[in-house]
Amino acid sequence: VKEDRDAWRMYKDAGKYDDALMYCETERQREIVRGQHADLLFNQKNYELAAKKFAESQKSFEEVAHKFIAAGQSDALITFLSRKVDVLA
């Protein structure tokens, strides 16, 4: 059913990212949800949680690091780097 297939998108658009991830069928869909969630958290200045979410995403390492540096968020940058190493290990 098409509605079931697009449930992830409906939840993502409603800001229900954990629910959206449960309905994702592909890694591409999961990446879209993770990336949008991390961007939202960053824009809300919730830098520490954004750092953790960015570490779980496939967003460019350089792009994410630059965002935290430009925002003067060295603690969040350290969190991102530490979590990224854990994810890659």
Side-chain angles (χ1 to χ4, degrees), residues 25-75:
E25 296 178 357
T26 68
E27 186 56 37
R28 170 121 172 87
Q29 291 170 345
R30 284 185 282 280
E31 181 51 33
I32 291 169
V33 172
R34 288 184 194 119
Q36 183 174 320
H37 191 194
D39 284 332
L40 174 71
L41 291 167
F42 185 90
N43 291 335
Q44 292 175 336
K45 300 185 182 344
N46 190 342
Y47 297 116
E48 284 295 317
L49 189 52
K52 294 171 185 175
K53 297 296 180 181
F54 276 127
E56 296 170 2
S57 78
Q58 297 298 316
K59 287 228 179 210
S60 160
F61 177 86
E62 294 83 0
E63 174 189 349
V64 174
H66 182 264
K67 285 174 82 104
F68 286 118
I69 292 168
Q73 295 299 315
S74 57
D75 289 344

